[in-house]
Amino acid sequence: MQIILNGNVMLFDTAPTISELLQRTGNAGRRVAVEVNRTIIPRSEHGTRCVADGDSVEIVTALGGG
């Protein structure tokens, strides 16, 4: 299966959950917002929501400062 992650094509053998995707990209445990096909996915759904073939996923990291 193939998804577009932050504009880059990624290939997977099986559909990962958003939590697995965050783990694979080094974003697990970080404050991030995740959007799948232009819909924000609540953190409470990251462990159960799987991405599907052809999905467009954006992971945005929260930055602090002023």
Side-chain angles (χ1 to χ4, degrees):
M1 72 167 277
Q2 172 181 302
I3 66 167
I4 308 289
L5 176 63
N6 292 352
N8 299 307
V9 174
M10 291 189 75
L11 301 173
F12 296 92
D13 292 330
T14 60
T17 65
I18 292 173
S19 290
E20 292 169 339
L21 188 59
L22 291 172
Q23 184 80 18
R24 292 182 191 184
T25 59
N27 288 299
R30 296 178 77 186
R31 292 182 55 142
V32 297
V34 179
E35 183 180 278
V36 177
N37 301 324
R38 298 186 176 220
T39 300
I40 300 243
I41 307 303
R43 184 181 308 260
S44 62
E45 294 180 21
H46 288 187
T48 57
R49 172 78 181 262
C50 289
V51 294
D53 189 42
D55 277 352
S56 178
V57 180
E58 294 290 328
I59 299 174
V60 180
T61 305
L63 298 176

